[in-house]
Amino acid sequence: METCSQLKSPLVAAMTELEKSMESMITVFHRYANEGGNKSTLSKKELKKLIENELPNFLKSQKSPDTLDRIIKDLDQNKDDELDFEEFAPLIIGLSVACEKHYALLHEKAKK
Ligand SMILES: [Ca+2]
Ligand SMILES: [Ca+2]
């Protein structure tokens, strides 16, 4: 894609906050997906590591041991027990939506 090939250009410094967030998401996904097996998908083990290292606050609120299985089952569209970026993205979007609600709630409380 034309737009994506520009991510690594010298224009990087001029990327907006949102563009940088998108790039971080992609970078983090590939850092963990690259570790073993299929280099472009996250295995359960790789996803576990990603969540533990990159989403520790999320993990804190998800104490149940079967959470990881549930997450994979929910996200794995083609049932190969691996998550490609397209399957992984909804996790981040979903978390962002949940966080936004929390953020809005805190904001609402702060006003009073
Ligand atoms: Ca992998
Ligand atoms: Ca899959």
Side-chain angles (χ1 to χ4, degrees):
M1 245 193 293
E2 192 55 37
T3 45
C4 288
S5 67
Q6 287 166 9
L7 277 180
K8 291 288 172 202
S9 75
L11 284 171
V12 157
M15 280 202 306
T16 68
E17 214 174 319
L18 187 59
E19 286 167 341
K20 275 185 232 159
S21 312
M22 285 158 60
E23 206 211 6
S24 307
M25 214 169 119
I26 297 167
T27 309
V28 165
F29 173 82
H30 282 286
R31 187 182 306 146
Y32 290 87
N34 242 312
E35 286 200 349
N38 189 328
K39 304 274 188 217
S40 57
T41 58
L42 284 173
S43 65
K44 191 172 149 184
K45 215 174 103 193
E46 288 163 345
L47 178 68
K48 183 170 187 276
K49 216 168 154 188
L50 186 153
I51 291 177
E52 279 173 0
N53 292 335
E54 311 294 336
L55 298 165
N57 297 306
F58 168 70
L59 199 72
K60 230 184 283 167
S61 59
Q62 304 284 329
K63 284 257 156 71
S64 154
D66 63 344
T67 299
L68 196 69
D69 289 308
R70 203 161 38 80
I71 292 172
I72 295 225
K73 210 168 147 250
D74 283 354
L75 297 172
D76 187 16
Q77 302 279 350
N78 61 357
K79 309 285 170 213
D80 63 352
D81 284 325
E82 299 261 332
L83 298 183
D84 59 26
F85 189 72
E86 205 179 323
E87 292 167 337
F88 169 75
L91 172 66
I92 305 300
I93 305 299
L95 282 175
S96 307
V97 170
C99 287
E100 194 276 338
K101 284 195 182 122
H102 189 64
Y103 177 86
L105 209 72
L106 283 181
H107 240 67
E108 194 56 39
K109 272 187 194 154
K111 257 191 276 174
K112 283 173 190 165

